[in-house]
Amino acid sequence: MSITVNQDNRNNTVTISLIGSFDFSLFNDFRAAYTDLDGDFNRYVIDMSSVEYLDSAALGMLLSMRNAIPAEQDIDLKGANAFIKNILMISRFDKRFNII
């Protein structure tokens, strides 16, 4: 699993791309991806198009991110496959995130 972070100052957006399994092994790296940034951003995009597996720890990490970022700033969960999108919907993440 790997994480890459792209800060787009022009569009005031941060894109965090995940590859492989999104699980507890990424706890520190995922937290650093949204806290160790150069500046404040209005939109955060979590690119899940290459995520093959997601566990309950990943759901908790997403909720921790949502709690750490002010409510007026958007967080988009983008590109999840049908299985992962179903997990997000069953967990009612559509109430706290934009699922694209």
Side-chain angles (χ1 to χ4, degrees), residues 48-92:
M48 303 180 83
S49 60
S50 297
V51 174
E52 300 164 355
Y53 172 78
L54 172 121
D55 68 4
S56 60
L59 296 176
M61 288 186 276
L62 289 169
L63 289 173
S64 291
M65 178 187 189
R66 177 71 276 175
N67 291 334
I69 294 172
E72 64 272 1
Q73 295 172 331
D74 291 326
I75 301 176
D76 300 337
L77 305 180
K78 174 184 162 190
N81 66 37
F83 180 73
I84 291 174
K85 192 171 190 177
N86 189 46
I87 292 171
L88 295 171
M89 298 304 284
I90 288 170
S91 302
R92 301 182 56 97

